[in-house]
Amino acid sequence: MAKPQEKVSFGQRLKQIGMVFQFTAKQDRWFAPLAAAAVLIPLALTVVAVIFWGWIWVPIGILFILLALLIVLNLRSNRAMMNAAEGQPGAAAQIMESMRGDWRVTPAVSSTTQMDMVHLVIGRPGVILLAEGNPQRVRGLLGQEKRRLAKVIGSAPLYDYVIGQSEDELPIRKLRMTLMRLPRNLSGKDVNALDKRLKALSARPQLPKGAIPKNMRPARGAFRQTRGR
């Protein structure tokens, strides 16, 4: 089941907005001029409205100023976040974890020492695999994960994407929009059941292949002693 969202106090919300302002201002040189325009233009219109039609326009003007500022902050902060995330290992998983909705994200279910990784996402569209790293290596990881998951997902749709800038890859800037546009193939109950099956698959112990190490072999005569009891 999805974890219930914790309530955020008004003070914490203001602190979060302040952190977003600072981050966006550092990453995006156009944010400060656009934010200033979002404040000054509605303010000028409010002053004109007050002069001609009275003080009743003051609260309306304040609402317009806040709305314009929040729109600019939302658009430019998303752009700044994508610019900062591009090329960073694990960025796709971080973006998925910040998305609204019932998305069950398991980062790096498969990886290599060269920072190639495949993330597992379960949601209403079905099962989604997101690969980051060297295209040749991650395609091998994707193939392994597909074969592993095919045993337990049943008829649930399986989507896979390689994050990158090449023609057959998905730019990280388009990740949110691409996944939001996928059809809703599963119900909430289906997502819960699928999540449980995949967690059970991941929790299943993997036995090492090859010969049993000497320090793990039973002592000589152990089987004879057992049979003699």
Side-chain angles (χ1 to χ4, degrees), residues 1-42:
M1 297 292 291
K3 295 182 180 180
Q5 293 183 351
E6 298 181 357
K7 293 184 178 179
V8 180
S9 65
F10 181 73
Q12 291 175 328
R13 183 70 66 185
L14 288 179
K15 185 177 180 180
Q16 291 176 354
I17 294 176
M19 293 174 62
V20 174
F21 261 93
Q22 293 178 0
F23 170 78
T24 309
K26 290 180 180 179
Q27 297 290 332
D28 185 1
R29 63 188 181 91
W30 289 103
F31 173 67
L34 290 173
V39 173
L40 295 177
I41 294 175

Side-chain angles (χ1 to χ4, degrees), residues 157-177:
L158 176 61
Y159 303 90
D160 63 278
Y161 300 95
V162 177
I163 305 300
Q165 297 295 328
S166 298
E167 185 177 353
D168 57 344
E169 298 173 353
L170 177 64
I172 199 166
R173 299 170 183 270
K174 298 181 179 180
L175 177 59
R176 288 175 182 263
M177 188 62 65

Side-chain angles (χ1 to χ4, degrees), residues 85-191:
E86 197 165 10
Q88 297 295 323
Q94 294 178 3
I95 291 174
M96 289 302 306
E97 290 175 339
S98 67
M99 284 180 60
R100 294 182 178 180
D102 188 10
W103 301 97
R104 321 286 177 92
V105 184
T106 306
V109 292
S110 182
S111 60
T112 68
T113 56
Q114 291 86 7
M115 300 303 290
D116 309 305
M117 59 191 71
V118 175
H119 313 298
L120 172 64
V121 180
I122 307 170
R124 295 291 298 276
V127 180
I128 304 167
L129 294 174
L130 302 175
E132 295 183 276
N134 181 277
Q136 295 180 352
R137 291 194 297 262
V138 296
R139 292 190 189 281
L141 293 178
L142 277 176
Q144 295 175 8
E145 284 301 308
K146 285 181 180 180
R147 291 189 293 271
R148 186 177 73 96
L149 296 177
K151 304 174 183 178
V152 294
I153 65 174
S155 60
L158 176 61
Y159 303 90
D160 63 278
Y161 300 95
V162 177
I163 305 300
Q165 297 295 328
S166 298
E167 185 177 353
D168 57 344
E169 298 173 353
L170 177 64
I172 199 166
R173 299 170 183 270
K174 298 181 179 180
L175 177 59
R176 288 175 182 263
M177 188 62 65
T178 300
L179 299 193
M180 291 300 294
R181 288 178 177 176
L182 291 176
R184 298 304 187 250
N185 300 305
L186 305 180
S187 65
K189 292 183 179 179
D190 294 334
V191 173

